[in-house]
Amino acid sequence: MVSDVSSVRQIKLRHYRYPGEVSSLLLTFLILASLYALAIRFFPSNATQVWQTLFFTVLGLGVYIVTVIIQQRSAFGTLVRVSQKQFPEIYEAGTIAASRLSAPHVPIYVKRASEQNIYTLGLLKQPIIVITSSMIDQMSNESLQFFIGREIGHIRAGHTWLRTLLRPLGSNIPVIGKLLDSVIFGDWMNRTEFTADRAGLIACKSLTVSISTMLKFGVGTSLFQKLDIREFLAQINDVRSVGGRVTEIVAEQPYLIQRIRRLVRFALSNEASPLASRANYNTGILEQIPDAFIDTNGIAFRDSIPPAAETETTIDFDPEDTSADDSPLDNSVDPRFSLIAVSDNEVYPLRRLETRLGRNIDNDIVIADDDRVSRYHAEIKRENKQLLLLDCGSRNGVWLNQQRLDKSAKLRAGDRIRIGRKEFIFTVKGN
């Protein structure tokens, strides 16, 4: 079994920690301390009760810490440890994730359970990662790398001990604890999730795997196959209000839509570029993501075009070539240029002047039974001795080498064109 355990460079926590995470935590503790001080200052008759409350809170946390330590010790007798001989695929996924994050290997255990879940257990001693059998059954090794990377990110960022105190494993906290967890520490908790998502991306080295894994976990692996990702993510417009922000803070986790948006922006930003070349992150999922997730605040993915496509020679019509009639009325088939479907290798010859693509039957290339394709979706036109690909105002866009067209672009031999779910390769006879 070959393992990818090499790391391009030493990954530091600062490379992927979400901005404002530490300051949010410090501000939260400052607010709590101020509230205690104000209660003692302005309600001196109740100061004894305040100190008693604080004392019993600390005592309760002490008892809980002992409980967590006992729980971790008991795990060694009830869970199944992952090793090179036992569940080697999971062990390899954990090894690769740790290596890419420049982190030591974290012991992984499997727990038999019907729900998908992964969590870190531990407080004073070395933490362990627990994965349920249901998650292992339904997720690929690449998805497990993403999840394991998230937990390693939590461990390296120091989230584990405080999150363990605020959210005991497998049970709900009483009302006061729930208030501390969701409201007072809500902003910090959300930022820790964004940090963990970034660690997961580095661990699996694929934006496509990261986002699809998050969606599978959010809606279920079966429903994911029927999910229209673009329409689902468009729901971000429903949570951009002030009320949406407040409810996100008090929720148990940040909205899945916001997590995906922030992860996309990180993957395509200058923050992530020192970690690895963008070409090393599989970003094919971008074709199914709304522009609001990609092009806001100057972030774009236009430099993610594969180098091979950049270096292809531009198509120039030879003025001495007599195989084509330059008559403006001659729109017959041109045998030199064609599109080859990636799915079944079917060849679609282009016309000399203009080739229309879309769902309607009067197009030159008909793409039927695809609700993402507009009636008249795109055109390939000959103009100034060049072949141009144009978007005819389609709803879901035209994609050239994983880049969504603004209006038009020159075609080069080997270019990959995606319209709806259909992908083509532009070919030139003799190349």
Side-chain angles (χ1 to χ4, degrees), residues 57-90:
T57 300
V58 174
L59 179 63
L61 287 177
V63 174
Y64 174 64
I65 289 174
V66 175
T67 303
V68 171
I69 295 175
I70 296 175
Q71 186 180 9
Q72 184 176 6
R73 288 183 176 275
S74 65
F76 298 116
T78 58
L79 306 178
V80 181
R81 181 165 184 164
V82 172
S83 67
Q84 290 177 303
K85 294 183 178 180
Q86 191 160 249
F87 312 128
E89 297 84 2
I90 305 174

Side-chain angles (χ1 to χ4, degrees), residues 5-59:
V5 294
S6 61
S7 182
V8 176
R9 57 166 296 175
Q10 189 75 11
I11 304 297
K12 304 292 186 180
L13 175 60
R14 66 174 183 272
H15 291 146
Y16 58 88
R17 191 194 285 274
Y18 189 77
E21 178 198 306
V22 176
S23 59
S24 175
L25 181 61
L26 294 177
L27 181 62
T28 299
F29 279 120
L30 179 62
I31 292 174
L32 285 175
S34 300
L35 290 176
Y36 269 105
L38 289 173
I40 295 174
R41 172 68 178 83
F42 291 101
F43 302 98
S45 59
N46 296 326
T48 302
Q49 295 180 0
V50 172
W51 285 112
Q52 287 178 346
T53 302
L54 180 61
F55 171 76
F56 284 111
T57 300
V58 174
L59 179 63

Side-chain angles (χ1 to χ4, degrees), residues 174-215:
V175 176
I176 296 179
K178 189 69 174 178
L179 181 66
L180 289 172
D181 184 4
S182 299
V183 179
I184 299 179
F185 286 91
D187 182 68
W188 174 75
M189 295 285 282
N190 284 355
R191 293 175 189 270
T192 64
E193 294 299 328
F194 298 143
T195 296
D197 288 339
R198 293 179 171 193
L201 170 66
I202 297 171
C204 70
K205 275 192 174 180
S206 172
L207 186 63
T208 299
V209 170
S210 300
I211 294 177
S212 60
T213 299
M214 293 164 70
L215 290 171

Side-chain angles (χ1 to χ4, degrees), residues 170-368:
S171 62
N172 293 323
I173 309 176
V175 176
I176 296 179
K178 189 69 174 178
L179 181 66
L180 289 172
D181 184 4
S182 299
V183 179
I184 299 179
F185 286 91
D187 182 68
W188 174 75
M189 295 285 282
N190 284 355
R191 293 175 189 270
T192 64
E193 294 299 328
F194 298 143
T195 296
D197 288 339
R198 293 179 171 193
L201 170 66
I202 297 171
C204 70
K205 275 192 174 180
S206 172
L207 186 63
T208 299
V209 170
S210 300
I211 294 177
S212 60
T213 299
M214 293 164 70
L215 290 171
K216 288 177 184 177
F217 188 75
V219 304
T221 52
S222 298
L223 288 179
F224 172 76
Q225 306 301 326
K226 306 175 183 178
L227 181 70
D228 188 315
I229 297 176
R230 177 177 294 275
E231 184 158 343
F232 170 70
L233 295 182
Q235 294 176 199
I236 191 173
N237 297 322
D238 300 333
V239 297
R240 278 179 166 168
S241 62
V242 175
R245 174 59 181 157
V246 172
T247 54
E248 182 180 20
I249 292 177
V250 301
E252 292 188 0
Q253 283 197 350
Y255 297 139
L256 177 58
I257 300 173
Q258 293 285 23
R259 288 177 57 192
I260 293 175
R261 179 172 182 265
R262 283 170 170 78
L263 188 61
V264 170
R265 291 169 58 80
F266 170 73
L268 303 178
S269 68
N270 293 330
E271 293 178 82
S273 57
L275 307 181
S277 171
R278 292 182 190 178
N280 291 337
Y281 288 106
N282 175 11
T283 58
I285 193 79
L286 292 175
E287 299 177 6
Q288 304 179 54
I289 291 181
D291 291 341
F293 282 68
I294 301 170
D295 292 326
T296 53
N297 293 342
I299 294 178
F301 60 98
R302 304 198 178 283
D303 56 350
S304 65
I305 300 176
E310 291 283 359
T311 57
E312 285 288 349
T313 305
T314 302
I315 301 302
D316 287 311
F317 287 86
D318 187 351
E320 299 180 359
D321 187 0
T322 59
S323 62
D325 186 353
D326 289 333
S327 170
L329 301 178
D330 182 14
N331 196 33
S332 60
V333 171
D334 191 333
R336 295 171 298 174
F337 309 116
S338 61
L339 299 182
I340 299 179
V342 174
S343 59
D344 54 11
N345 291 325
E346 185 174 354
V347 178
Y348 299 88
L350 302 183
R351 295 189 175 275
R352 296 188 186 280
L353 300 179
E354 178 182 287
T355 304
R356 297 187 304 175
L357 302 89
R359 199 173 66 247
N360 269 21
I361 61 173
D362 57 344
N363 286 285
D364 301 299
I365 299 178
V366 179
I367 307 174

